[in-house]
């Protein structure tokens, strides 16, 4: 059993996933509003924006405590992959993070555990940090196979990732049934799966590595429920969709994570 009572060892990280929202002007306005509101945050703050907003975000967030992330990258370095963006291209711009394996990519764009693993490898090789998403569907939860599904997703995604590289990975547990539905996992449900992910990491690496791993929860996290979720021992932050599109809501979650 991994001793998760080392929450204070881990830095809480709140990441916004804007998904396919905000043109450049809207992105600039939102970031200009957000920066002064979160400047004293005592946790990591990241915004993962559409590719077309990366340049704007890098410019607006230069010298601030808010890091910039993308929402996907391809596994090859370059070549005939029309419409794709490589990890190296992101790193060269100054992007620090990339979300990989989001359930919307698994659901709508044919992402598999294997392609997630290839993208994770490519991102690490390019020097990026990864927010790796895992999570079960409602049918899987109702079948009682949440642990198996999330365990397998985690193991396959981390194939070939060294203990040193694990330090550049954040795992986000996002139950598919809680994303954009307004239906949040209870804090106990979320903590249970986060703990299980930590145990998988302990098995793959070591108790120390697992105890240091930041594991977020995502899925309808908002200004109202954030505090309760973030108080759980194994929930080290959040990956925020809808609520990251409004500066006051996102700030409230950042404040709840600042301790
Ligand atoms: P919502 O916060 O809108 O449910 O989205 C969660 C999510 O998918 C973040 O990646």
């Amino acid at each position: 059993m991994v001793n998760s009572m080392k929450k204070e060892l881990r830095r809480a990280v709140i990441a916004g996933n804007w998904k396919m929202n905000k043109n450049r002007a809207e992105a600039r306005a939102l970031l200009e509003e957000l920066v002064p509101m979160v400047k004293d945050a005592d946790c990591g703050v990241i915004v993962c924006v559409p590719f077309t907003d990366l340049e704007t975000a890098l410019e607006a967030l230069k010298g601030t405590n808010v890091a910039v992330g993308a929402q996907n990258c391809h596994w090859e370095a370059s070549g005939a992959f029309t419409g794709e963006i490589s990890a190296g291209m992101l790193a060269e711009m100054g992007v620090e993070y990339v979300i990989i394996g989001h359930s919307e990519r698994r659901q709508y764009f044919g992402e598999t555990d294997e392609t997630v693993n290839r993208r994770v490898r490519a991102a690490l090789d390019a020097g990026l940090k990864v927010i790796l998403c895992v999570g079960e569907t409602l049918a899987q939860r109702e079948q009682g196979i949440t642990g198996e599904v999330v365990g397998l997703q985690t193991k396959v995604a981390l194939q070939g990732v060294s203990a040193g590289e694990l330090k550049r990975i954040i795992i986000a547990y996002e139950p598919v049934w809680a994303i954009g539905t307004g239906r949040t996992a209870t804090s106990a449900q979320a903590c249970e799966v986060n703990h299980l992910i930590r145990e998988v990491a302990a098995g793959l690496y070591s108790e120390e590595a697992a105890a240091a791993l930041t594991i977020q929860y995502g899925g309808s996290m908002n200004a109202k429920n954030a505090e309760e979720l973030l108080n759980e021992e194994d929930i080290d932050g959040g990956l925020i969709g809808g609520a990251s599109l409004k500066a006051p809501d996102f700030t409230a979650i950042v404040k709840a994570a600042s301790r």
Side-chain angles (χ1 to χ4, degrees):
M1 201 68 171
V2 179
N3 179 10
S4 61
M5 307 299 285
K6 291 180 185 157
K7 194 173 169 79
E8 63 279 0
L9 283 183
R10 300 185 286 271
R11 183 165 160 75
V13 180
I14 300 297
N17 174 10
W18 289 8
K19 308 190 180 184
M20 195 174 72
N21 292 291
K22 306 287 177 190
N23 64 27
R24 287 181 300 173
E26 292 164 344
R28 179 168 295 283
L30 174 54
L31 294 172
E32 279 172 1
E33 188 186 356
L34 182 67
V35 164
M37 295 174 95
V38 299
K39 72 174 177 8
D40 298 320
D42 193 13
C43 65
V45 184
I46 309 167
V47 289
C48 298
V49 305
F51 290 127
T52 47
D53 288 334
L54 286 170
E55 195 89 64
T56 302
L58 286 164
E59 209 179 286
L61 299 174
K62 203 171 183 175
T64 73
N65 59 328
V66 183
V68 178
Q71 300 171 10
N72 186 31
C73 68
H74 192 61
W75 55 81
E76 294 290 347
S78 63
F81 301 100
T82 304
E84 294 298 310
I85 304 279
S86 76
M89 289 169 175
L90 298 174
E92 187 269 341
M93 292 182 78
V95 171
E96 196 176 339
Y97 287 89
V98 61
I99 296 174
I100 294 184
H102 193 279
S103 65
E104 285 151 16
R105 297 218 60 88
R106 295 177 191 258
Q107 207 175 338
Y108 307 130
F109 303 103
E111 190 83 85
T112 65
D113 291 342
E114 286 70 28
T115 56
V116 167
N117 175 245
R118 293 177 75 182
R119 291 182 213 269
V120 167
R121 273 270 28 113
L124 292 171
D125 288 343
L128 296 172
K129 295 174 188 158
V130 171
I131 300 176
L132 166 65
C133 300
V134 296
E136 82 288 4
T137 63
L138 185 58
Q140 290 165 335
R141 174 159 286 264
E142 284 172 347
Q143 270 177 278
I145 56 172
T146 296
E148 286 92 333
V149 169
V150 172
L152 188 69
Q153 288 174 340
T154 305
K155 284 183 187 168
V156 177
L158 293 177
Q159 255 169 27
V161 173
S162 70
E165 288 170 330
L166 188 70
K167 294 187 179 131
R168 284 195 279 135
I169 295 190
I170 290 171
I171 297 184
Y173 166 53
E174 297 205 311
V176 178
W177 48 271
I179 295 177
T181 57
R183 186 177 162 188
T184 322
T186 65
S187 51
Q189 281 173 325
C191 190
E192 184 186 9
V193 181
N194 277 31
H195 188 76
L196 183 148
I197 293 168
R198 203 177 302 288
E199 292 199 311
V200 169
L204 292 174
Y205 299 94
S206 64
E207 296 240 338
E208 292 69 29
L213 181 64
T214 295
I215 306 179
Q216 299 173 321
Y217 166 78
S220 299
M221 198 192 262
N222 58 41
K224 287 207 181 85
N225 60 28
E227 192 170 345
E228 189 186 334
L229 287 158
L230 293 167
N231 274 338
E232 292 287 344
E233 280 303 326
D234 277 295
I235 303 179
D236 310 315
L239 184 55
I240 319 300
S244 73
L245 299 172
K246 292 194 184 118
D249 292 21
F250 190 61
T251 302
I253 301 171
V254 167
K255 293 229 160 94
S258 299
R259 50 171 197 268

